[in-house]
Amino acid sequence: MNRKSKLEVCVDSVESAIIAKEAGADCLEVCSNLLIGGTTPGVSQFKQIRKACRIKLNVLVRPRAGDFLYTDAEFRMIREDIQMFRELGADGVVAGCLLEDGNLDLNRMKELRSCAHGLQFTLHRAFDVCLDPERALEEAVSLGVDTILTSGQASDCMAGKEVLKRLLALAGGRIEILVGSGVNAEVIRLMKEDIHASSFHMSGKRRVDSGMVYRNERVNMGLPGLSEFEIFRTDGEEIRRAGMILRGE
């Protein structure tokens, strides 16, 4: 089957969003805190990106890092955030909930899909830690989910290539399989040839040195080993190369 190609770039700053758009991204996933897998972005961040980028914006709605078994309060946050970002002009949302046994939480997923009425709905990498990916794919189709973002239940998409191949065949065009984790230009080339994937999700981030001249490096305010004087930004050249390979240019 001939599938239309798509390159989605995940960004957690206004600066990265503009770089990705100018480098040829088809759409953006807007989030915060990419270094911990991404969480729900701030309102002002989304507004600035919406104003600067006239391409499709899918918003990650994830209240915290960690598992996808949410408390009632966390679930209310997810539901309210979906409604808010729809009103703010998002084109899609990226979300997901699991039960403690590893299956999709179908009741909550139905409620979120209803909240996102009129928006593109992506089941995020909760899918990658679910019990049975083939069952979850069929359930996602029945819920009206448009896209599954997945690495093939592996640490990166190359390690999950065989599972991704099975998922693409099982999907049969009923739901989009968006390949993520470890994606770069060379991975896209290999995945296009080996399993005929056509939709990819990447950050293409690189380290940028802080502009600070005075540096007190005795203090660490975040993850151990992570410098306070490095910033991560989207690499426009990496996005441009990936897009060219994906489009066969």
Side-chain angles (χ1 to χ4, degrees):
M1 182 174 62
N2 185 23
R3 301 182 182 93
K4 184 179 179 181
S5 67
K6 182 173 88 175
L7 181 62
E8 177 179 272
V9 178
C10 189
V11 298
D12 62 359
S13 69
V14 178
E15 293 81 4
S16 286
I18 293 170
I19 290 168
K21 178 204 68 171
E22 292 180 348
D26 296 308
C27 58
L28 304 178
E29 183 195 274
V30 181
C31 70
S32 291
N33 301 311
L34 260 176
L35 289 180
I36 55 171
T39 55
T40 306
V43 172
S44 58
Q45 174 193 351
F46 176 80
K47 285 181 174 179
Q48 288 193 49
I49 292 174
R50 177 75 289 172
K51 184 176 181 180
C53 299
R54 307 316 302 174
I55 60 176
K56 289 184 178 180
L57 301 182
N58 298 321
V59 180
L60 176 64
V61 182
R62 184 183 180 213
R64 56 163 172 77
D67 65 34
F68 303 99
L69 179 65
Y70 294 115
T71 66
D72 289 342
E74 289 170 337
F75 181 68
R76 286 193 296 271
M77 290 168 63
I78 295 170
R79 188 176 58 205
E80 291 173 13
D81 282 343
I82 287 175
Q83 294 169 338
M84 176 185 65
F85 283 114
R86 180 176 63 185
E87 293 168 2
L88 290 173
D91 297 288
V93 294
V94 184
C97 301
L98 297 180
L99 296 169
E100 61 185 6
D101 64 5
N103 287 302
L104 287 184
D105 187 333
L106 293 180
N107 290 331
R108 284 182 164 182
M109 288 292 295
K110 286 177 184 176
E111 192 170 345
L112 295 183
R113 189 66 191 94
S114 179
C115 287
H117 179 71
L119 299 180
Q120 185 87 3
F121 194 104
T122 298
L123 170 58
H124 58 35
R125 294 187 66 206
F127 180 87
D128 279 332
V129 292
C130 76
L131 177 65
D132 183 342
E134 295 187 2
R135 171 180 169 177
L137 184 149
E138 294 298 340
E139 290 174 339
V141 170
S142 71
L143 289 166
V145 170
D146 301 289
T147 300
I148 295 173
L149 170 60
T150 176
S151 64
Q153 293 209 313
S155 58
D156 61 67
C157 64
M158 289 300 291
K161 185 172 69 170
E162 291 307 312
V163 173
L164 287 166
K165 184 177 180 179
R166 292 202 308 272
L167 292 172
L168 283 164
L170 182 62
R174 296 175 298 155
I175 190 168
E176 179 184 37
I177 302 299
L178 181 61
V179 177
S181 187
V183 172
N184 57 33
E186 179 61 16
V187 166
I188 290 175
R189 185 184 68 78
L190 292 170
M191 287 286 187
K192 280 180 64 180
E193 293 175 357
D194 292 352
I195 65 171
H196 307 294
S198 58
S199 295
F200 295 90
H201 169 101
M202 66 183 293
S203 64
K205 58 183 178 292
R206 64 184 177 91
R207 294 174 187 261
V208 176
D209 192 45
S210 166
M212 288 293 297
V213 175
Y214 171 73
R215 302 185 179 196
N216 180 354
E217 301 197 24
R218 298 185 302 276
V219 178
N220 182 277
M221 291 179 279
L223 297 173
L226 182 65
S227 171
E228 303 298 337
F229 300 101
E230 290 181 337
I231 300 167
F232 288 84
R233 289 279 185 263
T234 298
D235 185 337
E237 285 305 311
E238 181 65 23
I239 303 304
R240 195 169 288 109
R241 285 194 298 271
M244 290 177 66
I245 287 176
L246 180 58
R247 293 184 291 268
E249 296 175 359

